[in-house]
């Protein structure tokens, strides 16, 4: 459906694109649960739901902390920081989860 959408058609109702377009701060966690690949898109999520404006609710932050690449969570930690997120990150690190360089953020000095 990409080509049609590129030229103005609406995305299919149950697609990731349509669900993200319709998402609100209150429904974002459910969308992330339904489409786990959206957890790889924090650069989009933090622009659409700016944490500084209170638009990224705690349930969505927990989902992001649990499922997004650790590299992204650490890079954007200043936006996601909370005791709950800290516990999730700590558990992932204790489980020896890799800090793979998917976006080359892991080499940045954030720790």
């Amino acid at each position: 459906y990409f080509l049609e959408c590129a030229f103005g058609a609406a995305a299919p109702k149950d697609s990731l694109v349509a669900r993200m377009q319709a998402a609100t701060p209150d429904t974002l966690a459910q969308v992330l649960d339904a489409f786990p690949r959206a957890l790889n898109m924090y650069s989009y999520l933090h622009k659409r739901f700016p944490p500084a404006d209170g638009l990224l609710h705690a349930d969505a932050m927990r989902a992001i902390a649990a499922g997004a690449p650790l590299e992204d969570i650490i890079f954007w930690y200043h936006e996601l920081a909370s005791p709950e997120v800290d516990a999730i990150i700590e558990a992932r690190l204790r489980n020896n989860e890799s800090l793979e360089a998917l976006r080359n953020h892991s080499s940045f000095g954030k720790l």
Side-chain angles (χ1 to χ4, degrees), residues 9-109:
K13 182 178 117 179
D14 290 326
S15 68
L16 170 62
V17 172
R19 294 282 304 272
M20 287 303 296
Q21 287 174 336
T24 67
D26 293 326
T27 64
L28 179 60
Q30 289 111 5
V31 175
L32 295 174
D33 186 48
F35 295 94
R37 68 183 181 269
L39 294 166
N40 292 322
M41 305 172 193
Y42 188 72
S43 60
Y44 166 77
L45 294 172
H46 86 110
K47 289 177 186 169
R48 174 83 195 286
F49 303 97
D53 295 341
L55 297 178
L56 192 60
H57 293 178
D59 56 347
M61 284 190 198
R62 286 190 301 271
I64 291 166
L70 271 174
E71 172 186 34
D72 288 350
I73 297 166
I74 292 172
F75 186 80
W76 295 106
Y77 178 77
H78 62 283
E79 293 184 352
L80 299 167
S82 75
E84 291 174 318
V85 168
D86 289 353
I88 294 168
I89 293 171
E90 181 179 349
R92 291 178 69 180
L93 291 171
R94 285 188 187 280
N95 286 330
N96 295 319
E97 191 168 324
S98 176
L99 270 172
E100 295 180 35
L102 302 173
R103 291 171 185 77
N104 293 322
H105 291 163
S106 60
S107 64
F108 294 178

